[in-house]
Amino acid sequence: MKQLIAKSIRTVRTGGFPLLARKGKNYIKKQIAKRILEDGQRIEELPKLPENVLHPKDFFNLTNLIQMLHTGNYRGVYVQGSQCIGWFDCVKQRSHHIAEYFMEKGYLVLCGANQAFSGDTTSSLKFINKNLVLFNVDSRAFVKELLEIVAQEFNGFKFYQIIATETGMTLEEITSIKELGFEFMYEMHDELSPEIFHSINQTILDRHSQILKDEDVIVLTTADLLYEKVKERRKGNVILSPNAAKIEDWEVNNETLKVLPQEIASLVKEKRPIVGFYGGFASWLDYELIRKVATNFPECQVVMIGYDYEQGHGAFAKSKVSEIKNVTIVPAQKYSNLKYFSQYFAVAIVPFRDYELSKTVSPVKMFEHMAQGIPVVASGLPECEKYPPVFVSYSHEQFLKDVEKALSLSKDSDFKNKLKECAAANSWRSRGAEIMELFEKRYRESFPLSLEQPLLSIVIPTYNMDKYITRSLDVLAHPCFAKLIEIIAVNDGSKDYTPEILKGQLQRFDNLKVITKENGGHGSCINAGIAASTGKFFKLVDADDFLSPISLLQHLLFLYKSDADLIVTNYRRFDESGNVTLGVSYSERLEEGKTYESSDFYNSMLSLLGFTSYAHMHSITYRTEILKKMGRKISENSFYVDQEFITYPLHNVKKVQYQNIFLYDYLVGRPGQSVDITVAKKRANMNLTILKKIREYYSLQNNEVLKKYLNNILYEQSYFWFSLTEDKSEAQDLLSWWKRNNLNSYDFKDFENMVARIK
């Protein structure tokens, strides 16, 4: 006090009484806030919990998390992503109990931190224990990075859960989380109403409506009426999981009975029966009923433990129940301390108003009171009727009669045992087991974990690529790919350090095959890769290029559900400095996820002629069997064979899908590259040979729509060759072929001009 007075005098001397008034107002606000947050921690005679939070100076980052994921031997990763929860809230909610069960079963839980609680405060990650890490959910960019790391670095069950009142999550984020391989769960604990949750706004309501239409999201409800309402909006994937109690947290024994909280010590010593309640003091409580209980049972003391949810401006303040002689208001308590109060309750009441919103309430406190053997009297809540030992009253008169009955049974050991048995049958352990079983079953059905056959064969032809091959392989080393892909590196007689590098990489990868062969060109590597592939799908990646790891993960999840013969994705061109120079997308021509019959696909691609009117080698993933039965081999000892690769399998393609991701990164500008203009001029004859082979393939087709598609491949390749060649005779021959076969489809003025320039 002396320090406070001295500080006040200094303030007046510095800025006068106006400054003192401002500072005093702020000081009072801080003390009130501190009181609200800490009241539950300042209980005399209550045991102190061990500190399990790292000191702020201790550093924990994404690298540490990756190490945990690699070495922790976790059954799965469970992300509790609702920023409105917070781990160190003094109130222990449903989400905390479910998360604790998952931790008990070997999961790593990542819990969104609520910065309002000092224990939660973190700018990035906070390590709590081996199975619990808090993360900064306020930074959406950080959350995205965190989830991408988990998706790549952990191969196992991955779940993401939010409650319906979560304010920070968008529909776009939910989609991206699912695309990373997380099973997504949306929990509805109550009706979405601003009367219950002040943070509810139209954005949340719109999101809610869209989520209920998304059959890929698991919707979990806690009450029959909520369950039925959700079922009306979707065909399935909705479950009912009422609330429960963690039985061991509510045991009463000689040790707990030694603790007598100061706030109720006089009542206990007077041996006055306590009719108790704990929870939020809000508009959903029936304060008139509470008044009647206090009035009709003057020998009892009504103890209400909690906080004013409406901060002095709502129903609690207006009711003035705190002024009733035999009503005691106790500040909100930490969950771990509540049992020391409630163990002295003769009867527990759940006095909710009888209105629409209360019909979907599954009160956690009811189960917790039963776990302590305390008779419970609840106003007309349909969810409470499921539990026979609970008194459910549909009028004030009946409620008062039931309180009287409950008081008479408060020391009846048989009745108390029935209450405990009912609680034991509705424990968080049993609820957690049901949810985990459902999660894992759904996950196995929706996401690949371990397959008898690799989902994707990635074939990497390499010749003298010791500068690039490690980069190409690095992106495939993430644990999430280990059991889903096979990597086939085809060493085409390299003369540099490529063989040694690949030998070393065999120690790093369990899913890497190395084929060493005499030099036969890019086509021979493709043929060898096709012959060796055992994956369901096939992707060709040149050794100086690489795949985006996040996009590859998304692609694998897409392939797992695909029955297409050809899947088209986007790709990017980049230079030696790593700068992206061009993004090649097919999104203007194709609809993501739609399954096209081959003719529909060709027509869609040809809707506009030009560079992206056919699928380039970098954008193609084939069903492997399509390649194995295509009936001809890719040309060997030649360049420009990627045109054959995108052409020869097409007569067997029946179904096509498009995934709108940038999967492939294509290096352009490397010295000696086949597309380098100087190199290409020297190899113009090879280009012409491939053109003639594709023309031959074209002539064998009967499908006119396919022929139109092939026309465009030939046109683009012909344009490239015409710009290079100095062979007048061959150029005129190719121009004549175009005019004979495609006179009405293309304008050949550019071709004519290029032929005319040749001497």
Side-chain angles (χ1 to χ4, degrees), residues 147-288:
L147 295 180
E148 288 180 351
I149 283 175
V150 173
Q152 292 176 91
E153 303 301 333
F154 183 75
N155 182 36
F157 299 118
K158 293 182 279 286
F159 306 122
Y160 197 103
Q161 177 260 3
I162 63 169
I163 61 175
T165 53
E166 160 61 23
T167 57
M169 179 70 65
T170 66
L171 290 169
E172 291 74 20
E173 286 176 309
I174 293 173
T175 298
S176 65
I177 289 169
K178 291 190 296 180
E179 288 177 347
L180 288 173
F182 286 83
E183 188 71 69
F184 199 95
M185 185 175 78
Y186 181 72
E187 287 206 40
M188 288 184 65
H189 302 168
D190 295 283
E191 291 279 8
L192 282 184
S193 168
E195 187 174 346
I196 301 178
F197 306 105
H198 298 331
S199 60
I200 295 293
N201 54 38
Q202 193 57 45
T203 300
I204 292 175
L205 294 175
D206 291 343
R207 181 190 67 190
H208 175 71
S209 180
Q210 291 300 314
I211 286 176
L212 294 190
K213 296 176 184 177
D214 185 352
E215 298 281 354
D216 288 334
V217 171
I218 297 174
V219 177
L220 186 149
T221 60
T222 57
D224 286 343
L225 285 176
L226 289 175
Y227 177 74
E228 294 302 326
K229 287 183 178 182
V230 173
K231 277 185 67 178
E232 291 173 1
R233 306 274 295 273
R234 52 170 45 214
K235 295 177 182 177
N237 209 14
V238 54
I239 58 173
L240 174 64
S241 176
N243 286 319
K246 190 173 182 180
I247 308 304
E248 56 268 36
D249 287 351
W250 299 94
E251 292 177 348
V252 176
N253 52 43
N254 290 333
E255 290 303 314
T256 56
L257 287 170
K258 290 178 182 178
V259 178
L260 178 56
Q262 176 184 328
E263 288 86 345
I264 61 171
S266 61
L267 305 178
V268 174
K269 289 174 182 177
E270 292 172 10
K271 296 185 178 181
R272 298 186 66 182
I274 294 175
V275 177
F277 167 84
Y278 58 73
F281 307 157
S283 60
W284 53 75
L285 292 187
D286 189 337
Y287 295 103
E288 180 58 29

Side-chain angles (χ1 to χ4, degrees), residues 688 692 721-722 725 727-735:
L688 180 61
K692 288 180 177 180
W721 181 79
F722 276 129
T725 187
D727 190 327
K728 187 86 170 182
S729 175
E730 289 286 5
Q732 288 176 334
D733 179 69
L734 180 57
L735 179 60

Side-chain angles (χ1 to χ4, degrees), residues 687-715:
N687 201 332
L688 180 61
T689 299
I690 300 302
L691 265 171
K692 288 180 177 180
K693 289 186 177 184
I694 297 175
R695 280 164 53 183
E696 176 194 353
Y697 178 81
Y698 168 90
S699 67
L700 297 174
Q701 305 310 312
N702 297 317
N703 184 331
E704 291 302 318
V705 183
L706 171 57
K707 293 182 77 170
K708 288 181 180 179
Y709 183 77
L710 294 173
N711 277 348
N712 221 43
I713 298 173
L714 283 163
Y715 185 88

Side-chain angles (χ1 to χ4, degrees), residues 20 59 145 261 469 524 526-527 550 571 644:
L20 177 64
F59 191 64
E145 183 180 7
I469 185 64
S524 70
I526 297 174
N527 292 331
I550 290 298
Y571 70 95
E644 292 182 304

